[in-house]
Amino acid sequence: MAALSVSGQCQRDQQQLLLGFKNNLNSSSSIKLMKWNLGTDCCSWDGIACDTDGRVIRLDLDNQFLSGEINNSNSLFRLQHLRHLDLADNKQLWGQLPETLEKFPHLIYLDFSSNSFSGPLPSFTSLRNLEKLFLSDNQLNGSIFSTNWSSLPNLEILDLRRNSFSGAVPPTLFQSESLKEIFLAENQFSGGFGEFKGELSSVLEVIDLSHNRLQGQFPMFVSEIQGLHYLSLSWNKFSGLIPLSAFQKLKNLETLDLSYSNMSVDSSFTNLPFPDVYELNLASCNLTKFPEFLKNLSFLQILDLSNNRIHGQIPSWIWTPHLYHLNLSLNFLVELERPSNMSTRMSVLDIHGNQFQGKLQFLPQSAFYLDYSNNNFSSVIPSEIGDILYSCDFISLAGNNLHGSIPESLCSSTYLAVLDLSNNSLSGSIPQCLVRKMGEFLGVLNLKQNNLSGTISDTIPEDCGLRTLDLNQNRLGGKVPKSLANCRMLEVLDLGNNQFDDTFPCHLNSTSELRVLVLRSNNFRGDVNCAANTTWPMLQIIDLASNSFSGKLPQGLLMTWNSMKPNKAEPYSEHLRYEVQRVVDIYYQDSVRVTMKGRELELVKILTIFTSIDLSSNKFEGHIPEAIGDFKALYLLNLSNNALTGPLPSFLGNLPKLEALDLSNNHLAGQIPLQLTNLNFLSFLNLSNNELTGRIPLGTQIQLFSEASFENNAGLCGPPLEVQCDSPPTSKDGPSNSGTGKHVNWNFVSVEIGFVCGIGAVILPLMFCKRWRDDISLDTREKAVAITRRIVAGCWLGIKAIISFVLGK
């Protein structure tokens, strides 16, 4: 934003305050602040405007790469004549919002959005001139009742989106005589609104309360705010039935979003016309048919009826002339006919997860985004598909019954960024032109679970922009192409369950963004010790199982996997995905299969905090490398079915996140280290078929694993094995009991163990079921797991107390 032209000369104290503000921050990357110096008039500095008396009234420093703490002592807050203050989009400005913000009595515009401010919201009650307040995309929390919003007579825009605010939404916001736009989306507001009393605003135009935890009866008072243009209450927890007829009074309404609000919508009204909205989102509203009033929405552009219970065919009248975004996914639709009055503007068409069948025939020529996945289409892919969808960015035909070869015409889709043909019965080879297209816009190529054969052409362009290459479960063979190293942005490489015959792909040393590497069940061989210049610091999932790799485990390569170390702190909500540039809020979501507890599980979202190492069923030898002891973020470690030797290392007990550990079928010797009892999250353990000796350590849960976890180790003894030990038990929790001469009757404590195992049988399967992964946040799951662990630990302490009682301690 350009600074205002002024005639006043900067006052000296104003210049000193600005330079003090600059010196308190890291501003070395700021284009504006690098020009601030004592030798020039501060009113002429970039981002500064002054009044005629030389007092600073405007400070514009948005997107200047500033970093550092903002607090009450900062000289910024002594510029008391400021009217416009903008520090947005600096990302690394942090600290609690200072109470001294109230010292700006003339402030009209305040924007601290897209930074790292935290803590509670200070009071803005005294800023009676404030018109626009933007605090979105920070880490602010607590209630927003600190401000008497009705005392701000000029406030027009309030934007608190994407923070962690909680508690109730102040009802006074909807009674303000000045507020036009309220944005409170993506917070943790809760509770209901109850019966609304008082006069509603006559100027309010925008209300966005989406993605919160609001509950109770739907706030019907919003249908009385007749000036509304935009209303979004989606992704909340309201209850009951809402009649859409209530919104008939809102003549100015342009956008209505009630999706995923835990409500049922009654769309059966015919008497009064519905507002001629541009955008209508009724996803997951328990609709069973297409609402009849849609016929009369002549200007409708965006329609989302996904995840309902709509059956039958798509009516021809749905294709209005202005409609360009249609989402009918996750219903029970069976028939798709080419409409006679199809809009030439149709750019987004999503019908995935229905029951469409037969030929794949209706392909809108103007589409940017086309998702026909997970239906029952059963035909060849039309040979001219690429010529028809020549401007399409995203094409997904996954999860159907398509057969035949991949048409070369797909290479004619100029802007093709995502191509997903997975889970079909396609055969033949991968077209060479598709490989060459990796040098254009192609970012995702997913052809897994087909019957493709042949090799991957070694003609990948030098400017390859590929992010995901998933060819799992085909019949592809040959070598991993050397030119794949040109894909420097590659994040997911899955070549598992094929017939590749090659050595470890050390030549991918330039793919520093690699996060997922799956080579499982091929014919790879040789060692995996790459040169020192091969580093994959972002690697979080590696699966080399069921090959013929040999030699020692690669200590040097392991040391470069920084994502498995504890200094990585990414938000729980982060997961691997590829954004489609020309379609807002639509992206391709990566998935991968991992083997845990001997079962193959599909991670439908690859969370960036999930890490696993599976090197099982190879010919690795030698000791377990010490580098693994640094992987404090590791969830799964499987080194089974190799030829590993040496002791079971104690550093494995220092991996606090570890949930599954399989070292079975090796030649590990010596005692089980006591430190393994520190693994409070461990839910699967297999040390069978080794050469371990000594007593199994007593710990909070290690005895809860089955006998099969320890069998065929001739020298092991103690619970849960039936083999008794001759020597006193080793326990980290107290002295030996053997001196009492009393014997513990393990049948006496079996009730306790049964109780614990019963809880595990209920909770632990939920952790890995698809619906649990899809519907429950990782934070919630981890809390559930933590509670289960505490129950297990508590019950084990109870068991030990019973043992002590029996022994007469």
Side-chain angles (χ1 to χ4, degrees):
M1 189 177 295
L4 297 176
S5 59
V6 294
S7 56
Q9 186 172 6
C10 179
Q11 295 184 7
R12 180 172 178 79
D13 71 307
Q14 302 285 284
Q15 185 181 57
Q16 293 296 332
L17 291 174
L18 288 171
L19 289 174
F21 166 68
K22 172 186 176 180
N23 293 334
N24 283 335
L25 299 174
N26 179 358
S27 59
S28 58
S29 300
S30 170
I31 296 175
K32 290 183 178 180
L33 267 66
M34 70 172 55
K35 300 176 183 178
W36 290 13
N37 60 73
L38 280 170
T40 56
D41 181 0
C42 74
C43 291
S44 67
W45 291 351
D46 285 351
I48 303 296
C50 302
D51 61 15
T52 54
D53 295 323
R55 297 174 301 195
V56 176
I57 60 172
R58 187 181 190 109
L59 181 60
D60 274 319
L61 295 175
D62 61 302
N63 197 24
Q64 287 298 301
F65 306 100
L66 302 176
S67 62
E69 183 181 10
I70 301 289
N71 55 42
N72 284 308
S73 64
N74 198 291
S75 60
L76 167 69
F77 300 105
R78 290 157 62 192
L79 295 168
Q80 295 182 10
H81 297 277
L82 272 177
R83 301 175 194 170
H84 183 110
L85 176 57
D86 188 349
L87 298 178
D89 292 301
N90 281 292
K91 312 301 182 188
Q92 298 301 317
L93 290 177
W94 59 279
Q96 292 195 0
L97 291 181
E99 295 289 343
T100 44
L101 281 168
E102 283 209 299
K103 293 183 178 180
F104 293 138
H106 307 288
L107 200 63
I108 296 173
Y109 181 101
L110 176 62
D111 191 348
F112 279 8
S113 59
S114 298
N115 280 292
S116 299
F117 292 109
S118 59
L121 192 71
S123 174
F124 297 99
T125 303
S126 65
L127 304 182
R128 297 182 59 81
N129 292 304
L130 191 63
E131 295 178 2
K132 296 177 174 64
L133 177 59
F134 299 98
L135 299 175
S136 63
D137 295 282
N138 280 285
Q139 300 159 24
L140 302 169
N141 56 49
S143 166
I144 64 171
F145 279 89
S146 56
T147 294
N148 181 5
W149 300 103
S150 61
S151 71
L152 301 178
N154 296 296
L155 187 63
E156 296 179 357
I157 300 176
L158 175 63
D159 188 353
L160 305 180
R161 285 175 291 185
R162 292 182 288 277
N163 281 284
S164 297
F165 291 117
S166 57
V169 174
T172 53
L173 289 175
F174 308 105
Q175 297 175 302
S176 169
E177 296 179 359
S178 61
L179 259 177
K180 295 180 179 179
E181 300 178 12
I182 300 173
F183 299 98
L184 303 182
E186 297 183 57
N187 280 283
Q188 298 173 23
F189 291 111
S190 59
F193 292 94
E195 185 177 350
F196 197 85
K197 297 179 180 179
E199 188 174 346
L200 292 164
S201 169
S202 60
V203 298
L204 197 54
E205 298 176 354
V206 175
I207 298 177
D208 187 354
L209 303 179
S210 61
H211 292 269
N212 279 287
R213 300 174 181 176
L214 300 171
Q215 56 194 24
Q217 292 296 313
F218 183 83
M220 293 303 299
F221 71 84
V222 296
S223 65
E224 302 292 331
I225 306 176
Q226 297 190 19
L228 278 181
H229 291 266
Y230 181 101
L231 175 62
S232 179
L233 298 170
S234 61
W235 295 95
N236 280 288
K237 299 179 180 180
F238 297 116
S239 58
L241 179 68
I242 173 172
L244 283 182
S245 58
F247 298 100
Q248 290 176 323
K249 303 175 187 177
L250 305 181
K251 305 299 183 183
N252 298 313
L253 194 63
E254 298 176 353
T255 296
L256 176 62
D257 189 353
L258 304 178
S259 299
Y260 296 99
S261 284
N262 201 39
M263 303 176 301
S264 295
V265 166
D266 180 7
S267 62
S268 58
F269 63 92
T270 56
N271 50 348
L272 294 174
F274 195 79
D276 207 355
V277 295
Y278 298 145
E279 179 176 352
L280 180 61
N281 299 314
L282 299 176
S284 189
C285 286
N286 291 314
L287 295 171
T288 57
K289 62 181 181 178
F290 287 95
E292 290 288 327
F293 72 85
L294 293 177
K295 293 179 181 179
N296 302 317
L297 302 184
S298 56
F299 293 101
L300 189 63
Q301 298 177 11
I302 299 174
L303 177 61
D304 185 353
L305 301 179
S306 62
N307 201 18
N308 281 289
R309 294 181 288 118
I310 304 174
H311 291 71
Q313 66 179 20
I314 301 175
S316 59
W317 49 258
I318 205 77
W319 311 99
T320 58
H322 298 283
L323 191 69
Y324 71 86
H325 183 131
L326 179 61
N327 188 348
L328 301 176
S329 63
L330 301 171
N331 279 286
F332 299 93
L333 300 168
V334 297
E335 190 172 348
L336 176 65
E337 294 183 357
R338 185 179 185 87
S340 58
N341 60 338
M342 178 68 186
S343 168
T344 57
R345 302 177 61 215
M346 179 58 68
S347 57
V348 175
L349 180 56
D350 188 348
I351 59 171
H352 84 267
N354 278 281
Q355 297 174 4
F356 295 110
Q357 53 192 338
K359 288 186 177 181
L360 195 64
Q361 52 184 356
F362 171 46
L363 302 169
Q365 192 170 9
S366 56
F368 292 165
Y369 179 99
L370 190 74
D371 191 347
Y372 284 14
S373 63
N374 298 312
N375 280 285
N376 296 315
F377 291 113
S378 56
S379 66
V380 297
I381 301 175
S383 59
E384 70 279 12
I385 184 172
D387 299 321
I388 298 172
L389 303 175
Y390 62 90
S391 64
C392 204
D393 293 35
F394 183 111
I395 300 175
S396 179
L397 307 177
N400 283 285
N401 297 312
L402 301 174
H403 53 270
S405 60
I406 300 174
E408 292 199 6
S409 71
L410 280 167
C411 303
S412 302
S413 295
T414 307
Y415 302 106
L416 188 61
V418 175
L419 178 61
D420 188 351
L421 305 179
S422 62
N423 295 285
N424 281 289
S425 298
L426 299 172
S427 56
S429 59
I430 300 173
Q432 285 196 26
C433 67
L434 207 54
V435 175
R436 291 194 296 270
K437 200 165 184 65
M438 296 176 187
E440 299 178 18
F441 295 94
L442 193 62
V444 174
L445 180 59
N446 189 346
L447 305 177
K448 70 180 178 184
Q449 288 184 257
N450 280 286
N451 296 314
L452 300 173
S453 57
T455 61
I456 305 175
S457 173
D458 196 7
T459 56
I460 300 173
E462 289 188 8
D463 58 348
C464 173
L466 202 66
R467 297 290 185 93
T468 295
L469 178 60
D470 192 343
L471 304 176
N472 195 307
Q473 204 167 329
N474 280 282
R475 292 184 288 124
L476 297 166
K479 309 286 186 183
V480 178
K482 299 295 183 184
S483 56
L484 188 59
N486 295 331
C487 302
R488 294 173 181 83
M489 304 300 292
L490 194 64
E491 293 183 343
V492 177
L493 176 60
D494 191 343
L495 305 179
N497 297 289
N498 277 285
Q499 299 170 15
F500 289 102
D501 188 359
D502 202 354
T503 56
F504 188 74
C506 291
H507 60 278
L508 300 181
N509 56 351
S510 59
T511 56
S512 58
E513 300 292 320
L514 192 66
R515 286 182 173 271
V516 177
L517 176 62
V518 178
L519 305 179
R520 162 182 287 269
S521 297
N522 279 281
N523 297 315
F524 286 102
R525 62 192 183 282
D527 63 49
V528 294
N529 288 287
C530 300
N533 64 340
T534 300
T535 61
W536 292 318
M538 307 298 290
L539 194 67
Q540 60 181 89
I541 297 175
I542 181 167
D543 186 350
L544 309 182
S546 301
N547 282 285
S548 297
F549 289 118
S550 58
K552 294 184 177 181
L553 294 176
Q555 169 85 3
L557 187 60
L558 288 165
M559 292 174 65
T560 70
W561 299 349
N562 295 330
S563 283
M564 300 188 186
K565 299 176 183 178
N567 59 347
K568 178 172 177 278
E570 293 196 56
Y572 283 171
S573 57
E574 291 276 331
H575 58 275
L576 297 191
R577 63 186 191 181
Y578 181 84
E579 295 187 6
V580 181
Q581 296 296 322
R582 289 197 293 169
V583 188
V584 178
D585 294 331
I586 290 182
Y587 54 85
Y588 172 84
Q589 186 169 281
D590 287 295
S591 63
V592 69
R593 289 183 176 272
V594 297
T595 300
M596 180 179 283
K597 304 182 184 180
R599 293 184 298 140
E600 194 174 69
L601 303 171
E602 182 175 12
L603 301 180
V604 292
K605 288 184 180 181
I606 306 178
L607 297 168
T608 54
I609 64 166
F610 180 83
T611 58
S612 72
I613 299 174
D614 190 344
L615 309 181
S616 62
S617 300
N618 280 285
K619 301 175 182 178
F620 290 116
E621 57 189 31
H623 291 199
I624 297 175
E626 291 184 10
I628 292 178
D630 294 328
F631 294 164
K632 301 294 193 297
L634 191 62
Y635 280 76
L636 182 153
L637 177 62
N638 189 349
L639 303 178
S640 64
N641 294 289
N642 280 287
L644 299 175
T645 56
L648 192 62
S650 61
F651 58 68
L652 293 177
N654 300 325
L655 307 180
K657 297 284 186 70
L658 200 63
E659 294 187 10
L661 175 62
D662 192 346
L663 302 176
S664 62
N665 294 289
N666 280 286
H667 302 293
L668 300 172
Q671 294 190 342
I672 298 176
L674 189 62
Q675 287 81 355
L676 248 58
T677 61
N678 296 330
L679 299 177
N680 293 325
F681 282 86
L682 198 65
S683 59
F684 178 82
L685 175 67
N686 193 350
L687 303 178
S688 65
N689 297 293
N690 277 286
E691 299 167 14
L692 300 172
T693 59
R695 182 184 296 274
I696 298 173
L698 295 179
T700 55
Q701 65 188 61
I702 198 167
Q703 271 70 40
L704 300 180
F705 294 108
S706 69
E707 185 176 351
S709 296
F710 304 95
E711 65 185 5
N712 295 326
N713 285 279
L716 277 184
C717 62
L721 296 176
E722 295 181 358
V723 179
Q724 300 295 315
C725 297
D726 296 330
S727 58
T730 302
S731 172
K732 68 173 185 176
D733 298 301
S736 170
N737 296 319
S738 59
T740 65
K742 296 190 178 182
H743 176 67
V744 178
N745 184 353
W746 283 92
N747 291 327
F748 184 66
V749 298
S750 62
V751 174
E752 289 272 8
I753 296 175
F755 173 71
V756 174
C757 295
I759 292 175
V762 173
I763 298 293
L764 296 178
L766 286 176
M767 294 164 51
F768 302 110
C769 82
K770 187 174 187 292
R771 182 169 180 178
W772 174 272
R773 294 195 311 271
D774 286 347
D775 297 342
I776 306 298
S777 69
L778 180 66
D779 184 53
T780 303
R781 295 199 306 272
E782 287 204 338
K783 287 178 180 177
V785 173
I787 291 170
T788 305
R789 301 299 181 195
R790 292 189 184 102
I791 293 172
V792 169
C795 291
W796 176 245
L797 291 175
I799 292 171
K800 291 200 295 183
I802 294 171
I803 296 172
S804 299
F805 175 78
V806 172
L807 294 176
K809 284 187 64 176

